[in-house]
């Protein structure tokens, strides 16, 4: 009896195994993400993973290409007023939303004004970041295909920022409650949300071109090693954030490979020059630009990349992503002797114990690629040149992030900040004002901010180029960052799929296809 | 009845304590206002938001407001999911209950025969082998066991799914009985690895407990008398020995559920199980205060209710216990 029961159970398990472990069908691509979407309300979306799913559901006026260029998407023509404060966009004709409703200027104006409406209490990327950067004022309908968007000040960032606003149709969204909008989006893009099992998976179905696959499945797999196992087993086609210690295993699997790109996230050691840490050891010393510059030579950035991040990388020369940097600036090499010489010249010789001064270096744990190991390595590099560095690793959400927001971290602190390739001013906007929220370093150099105003007023980044180059040279020599690297991003890609990752952490599957 | 009322009152005190500790712990870790504003928010916007959300009021006032809403089931909106926190928790709860019940079933069904076998074969290689496995079970962390199972049973042998979840309770709750039972085999199939990873420690502990309890009972006079009366050994073990050895095990099973609920957090992460453990883990990481508070209170309620049930069962099976 028991034997018979075991035999039946075994057969049943084998049958279930056949069903559960089948590879995805040819018309489907499966992506393994670390985090679930939190909402599909276009005005509430804020995280990168969430946006990577939403961009397949919602279309945008403009799009940033793989090469990092801003191109029109829903827009046919663009006209800018002389003062640069009004943009009139002519939409392509024949556009529709997922439910068949024609997509017109009225819908675009509704999209922009809905996100800006404070009564809705939206806190997503569009009202929280795009509108602040853009200086968004209002959107108005000119006629059926023409819509005007008004901004506070001229900015060459406008079109790129508009590539982050998800367009949706007025009639369908006016009928929805906010809860319905969050869970049941009606999009304007190539795919529709077919199902959302929270915490498990999100299934999108194709409704129109562009898009190679009929179905896209985003599976939520938080643990990195589980994601890797699913990729190697052939159950998912693309995974994000492959851990450096698993790259070899994936490449040796014979079923998948790791594709690495130099991302646009700028990793740095910030020098906190503000009042929040003024009384702490080391805070006075790093006020001296010569000290800040000297410490650049103390850290072996290529070794950190190779040993800890599973990638080769070139040290950054400024806060701007390539190819938009100042071409005259060369990466500062690892030269501890030069660091010691410059620190001596700056007036901080080693004392009898071999210590020049002491300082605290704080970093998050688990926020960035191998962050804890990187911070500890940097602490050791600095100690080696006589700057006795006390490393403190902190939990991100409840400890580190509040310290950042109140500018009380450091005096040295490890941080990564996202960037773009389509406009250097976007990357430089972290330092738009001396007391701005993203100026975590409280850098107040007047030369930078005077030039910032000039650069921003230029109609195009090309016209602003001489000013930008001057600013980046200042940042290189006296800036508030110990410059590290652009964070490498490791994607696991199944041999079944032909797909190339982008630099900017965006995952686009429109052009992904089965490998030939 | 008095006992039940007394226990309910005690439970109320526990719930108040849980809410107070959860509230204070999360408030003390920094100004939560920053979670509600964008990175580029101006100081003015931050002040306005702080006032609008009541974070500028004294802590005791904030707590009383929190309790007032709590009794109406309102924990506020999740910061991450932008919807009611209680809804997010209740949505994740069935998956965790499936996992915990399955693990608890394993902890009983596997542990009792093992414990009995070890006791009946005391000092033999059978006893030694079972106790060695039990020792290993109490020493191996569940997340490591989970990863090893994924490596060997999932990846190498392709015998069990590496991760994922097929719901059973949720369709039942939604009234879709046909769907629930049609996918029950799949649901069980996906439960095997995470269930075992959660249960392994408990199986080991329960097996040791049953063994020692059985050894104690097997030496009692009434067992010797039963044997002397010529009753078969199976009947002696099951009807006389195991029935009395069962009492400490029942107590342990009651506590077991709470223990297993605590253990699912890591296992849910490893196996991508969309349950309350993973929800809490993510909520803590994102400082999603409403979700953490809702989840902790719901789990405390579940734990208290189960303990009450166990007390009642205990009184039922042990005539010496009076309510």
């Amino acid at each position: 009896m028991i034997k018979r029961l075991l035999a039946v159970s075994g057969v049943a398990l084998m049958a279930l195994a056949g069903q559960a472990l089948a590879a995805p069908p040819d018309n489907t691509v499966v992506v393994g993400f670390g985090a679930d979407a939190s909402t599909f309300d276009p005005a509430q979306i804020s995280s990168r993973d969430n946006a990577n799913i939403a961009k397949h559901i919602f279309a945008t006026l403009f799009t940033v290409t793989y090469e990092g260029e801003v191109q029109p998407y829903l827009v046919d023509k663009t006209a800018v007023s002389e003062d640069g404060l009004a943009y009139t966009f002519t939409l392509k004709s024949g556009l529709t939303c997922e439910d068949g409703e024609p997509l017109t200027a009225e819908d675009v104006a509704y999209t922009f004004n809905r996100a800006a409406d404070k009564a809705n209490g939206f806190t997503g990327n569009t009202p929280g970041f795009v509108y602040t950067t853009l200086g968004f004022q209002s959107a108005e309908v000119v006629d059926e295909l023409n819509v005007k968007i008004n901004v506070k000040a001229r900015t060459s960032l406008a079109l790129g920022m508009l590539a982050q606003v998800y367009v949706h149709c007025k009639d369908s969204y006016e009928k929805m409650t906010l809860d319905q909008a969050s869970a049941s989006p009606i999009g304007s893009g190539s795919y529709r949300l077919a199902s959302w099992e929270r915490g498990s998976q999100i299934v999108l179905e194709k409704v129109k071109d562009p898009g190679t696959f009929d179905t896209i499945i985003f599976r939520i797999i938080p643990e990195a090693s589980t994601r890797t196992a699913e990729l190697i087993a052939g159950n998912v086609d693309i995974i994000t954030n492959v851990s450096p210690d698993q790259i070899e295993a994936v490449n040796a699997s014979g079923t998948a490979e790791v594709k690495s790109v130099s991302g646009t996230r700028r990793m740095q050691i910030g020098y906190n020059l503000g009042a929040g840490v003024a009384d702490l050891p080391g805070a006075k010393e790093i006020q001296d630009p010569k000290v800040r510059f000297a410490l650049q030579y103390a850290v072996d950035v290529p070794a950190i990349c190779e040993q800890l991040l599973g990638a080769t990388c070139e040290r950054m020369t400024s806060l701007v992503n390539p190819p938009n940097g100042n071409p005259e600036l060369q990466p500062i090499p690892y030269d501890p002797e030069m660091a010691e010489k410059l620190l001596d010249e700056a007036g901080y010789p080693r004392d009898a114990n071999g210590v020049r001064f002491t300082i605290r270096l704080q970093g998050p744990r688990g926020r960035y690629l191998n962050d804890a190991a990187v911070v500890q390595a940097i602490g050791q590099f600095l100690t080696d040149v006589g700057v006795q560095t006390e490393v403190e690793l902190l939990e991100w959400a409840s400890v580190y992030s509040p310290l950042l927001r109140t500018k009380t971290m450091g005096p040295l602190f490890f941080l990564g900040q996202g960037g773009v390739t389509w406009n250097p001013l976007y990357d430089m906007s972290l330092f738009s004002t001396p007391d701005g929220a993203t100026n975590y370093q409280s850098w107040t150099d007047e030369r930078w901010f005077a030039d910032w105003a000039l650069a921003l007023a230029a109609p195009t980044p090309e016209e602003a180029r001489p000013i930008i180059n001057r600013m980046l040279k200042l940042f290189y020599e006296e800036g508030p960052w110990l410059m590290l690297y652009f964070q490498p991003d490791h994607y696991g890609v199944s041999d079944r799929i032909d797909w190339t990752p982008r630099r900017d952490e965006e995952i686009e599957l429109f052009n992904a296809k089965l490998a030939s | 009845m008095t006992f039940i009322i007394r226990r309910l009152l005690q439970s109320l005190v526990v719930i108040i304590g849980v809410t107070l500790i959860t509230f204070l712990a999360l408030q003390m870790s920094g100004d939560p206002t920053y979670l509600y504003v964008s990175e580029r928010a101006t100081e003015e916007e931050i002040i306005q938001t702080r006032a609008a959300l009541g974070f500028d009021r004294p802590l005791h006032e904030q707590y009383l407001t929190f309790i007032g809403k709590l009794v109406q089931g309102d924990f506020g909106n999740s910061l991450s999911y932008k919807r009611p926190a209680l809804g997010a928790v209740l949505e994740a709860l069935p998956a965790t209950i499936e996992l915990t019940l399955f693990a608890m079933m394993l902890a009983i069904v596997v542990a009792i025969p093992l414990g009995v076998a070890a006791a009946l074969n005391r000092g033999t290689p059978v006893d030694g082998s079972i106790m060695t496995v039990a020792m290993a079970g109490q020493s191996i962390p569940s997340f490591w066991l989970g990863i090893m199972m994924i490596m060997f049973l999932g990846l190498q042998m392709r015998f069990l799914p590496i991760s994922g979840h097929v719901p059973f309770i949720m369709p039942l709750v939604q009234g879709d009985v046909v769907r629930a039972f049609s996918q029950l085999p799949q649901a069980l199939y996906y439960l095997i690895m995470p269930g075992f990873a959660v249960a392994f420690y408990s199986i080991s502990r329960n097996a040791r407990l049953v063994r020692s309890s059985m050894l104690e009972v097997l030496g009692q006079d009434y067992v010797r008398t039963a044997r002397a009366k010529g009753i078969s050994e199976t009947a002696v073990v099951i009807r006389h020995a195991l029935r009395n050895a069962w009492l400490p095990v029942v107590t342990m099973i009651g506590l077991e559920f709470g223990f297993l609920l605590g253990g699912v957090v890591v296992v849910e992460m490893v196996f991508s199980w969309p349950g309350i453990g993973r929800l809490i883990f993510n909520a803590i990481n994102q400082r999603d205060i409403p979700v953490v508070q809702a989840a902790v209170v719901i789990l405390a309620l579940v734990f208290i209710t189960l303990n009450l049930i166990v007390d009642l069962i205990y009184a039922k099976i042990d005539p010496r216990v009076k309510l």
Side-chain angles (χ1 to χ4, degrees), chain A residues 128-421:
Chain A
F129 174 68
V130 173
Y131 284 5
T132 317
T133 310
L134 193 62
F136 174 78
Q137 291 280 73
S138 63
E140 50 193 275
V141 177
V142 177
D143 57 38
E144 191 180 336
L145 289 182
N146 287 286
V147 60
K148 189 159 86 171
I149 290 176
N150 303 302
V151 295
K152 282 180 195 159
R154 179 192 291 276
T155 171
S156 63
L157 294 171
L159 303 187
M161 297 311 293
L162 294 178
Q164 299 181 34
V165 179
Y166 302 116
V167 174
H168 43 287
C169 282
K170 181 182 176 185
D171 289 354
S172 47
Y173 273 79
E174 272 193 338
K175 287 179 202 152
M176 290 188 205
T177 63
L178 292 181
D179 285 345
Q180 287 168 333
S182 171
S184 311
I186 295 180
S188 51
S190 301
Y191 289 83
R192 61 176 280 272
L193 178 68
S195 67
W196 181 12
E197 289 172 45
R198 289 181 198 264
S200 285
Q201 64 176 19
I202 292 159
V203 180
L204 307 186
E205 284 174 358
K206 186 178 165 187
V207 288
K208 60 186 170 193
D209 282 331
T212 316
F213 289 98
D214 294 333
T215 307
I216 302 175
I217 300 174
F218 294 94
R219 281 191 53 195
I220 314 306
I221 311 171
E223 170 61 32
S225 57
T226 310
R227 276 201 304 278
T228 301
E230 291 280 22
L231 174 74
I232 292 174
N235 300 328
V236 300
D237 297 309
I238 297 168
I239 61 169
T240 55
N241 301 327
V242 177
S243 170
D245 60 352
Q246 291 166 0
I247 292 174
E248 208 177 308
V250 173
N251 287 337
S253 68
T255 58
E257 66 169 323
V258 171
K259 293 187 175 180
S260 301
V261 287
S262 173
T264 50
R265 186 166 297 279
R266 298 154 291 166
M267 307 308 299
Q268 73 204 251
I269 296 292
Y271 296 109
N272 188 347
L273 308 173
V277 292
D279 298 334
L280 293 179
K284 181 176 71 70
E285 286 82 350
I286 59 169
Q287 295 289 337
D288 185 343
K290 289 179 193 161
V291 171
R292 301 203 293 267
F293 190 64
L295 294 183
Q296 308 273 1
Y297 286 97
V299 179
D300 189 349
V301 175
I304 288 175
C305 291
E306 203 170 316
Q307 299 297 322
L308 301 176
L309 306 179
T312 53
C313 65
E314 192 172 75
R315 186 177 202 166
M316 56 168 67
T317 58
S318 74
L319 71 172
V320 168
N321 268 282
N324 299 321
N326 179 341
E328 290 172 9
L329 303 176
Q330 294 302 310
I332 297 171
Y334 172 55
D335 187 346
E337 286 171 12
M338 175 63 84
E340 298 229 28
K341 180 171 168 280
L342 293 176
L343 285 167
D344 286 341
E345 287 173 7
Y348 296 99
R350 286 180 184 264
D351 65 13
N353 298 318
V355 176
R356 299 175 188 278
F357 59 90
T358 60
I359 198 162
R360 184 176 67 183
L361 166 60
Q362 292 181 318
R365 193 192 283 278
R367 174 74 175 177
Y368 307 110
L369 188 64
N370 228 352
D371 48 14
V374 170
V375 173
Q376 283 168 330
I378 291 168
Q380 189 57 52
F381 279 124
L382 297 180
T383 301
D384 288 347
V385 297
V387 178
Q388 192 172 317
T389 306
E390 175 202 334
V391 172
E392 201 172 281
L393 294 168
L394 305 166
E395 193 275 325
W396 171 265
S398 59
V399 185
Y400 200 73
S401 185
L403 288 177
L404 277 174
R405 300 297 289 265
T406 51
K407 300 184 181 178
T408 52
M409 63 289 160
L412 300 181
F413 60 97
F414 182 68
L415 189 65
Q417 288 173 291
V420 300
T421 51

Side-chain angles (χ1 to χ4, degrees), chain A residues 492-512:
Chain A
V493 185
S494 157
D495 291 348
R496 196 179 81 95
I497 298 292
D498 181 3
W499 176 77
T500 308
R502 294 168 57 121
R503 284 189 58 205
D504 54 10
E505 299 179 6
E506 288 199 17
I507 293 187
E508 249 184 23
L509 298 164
F510 301 114
N511 296 322

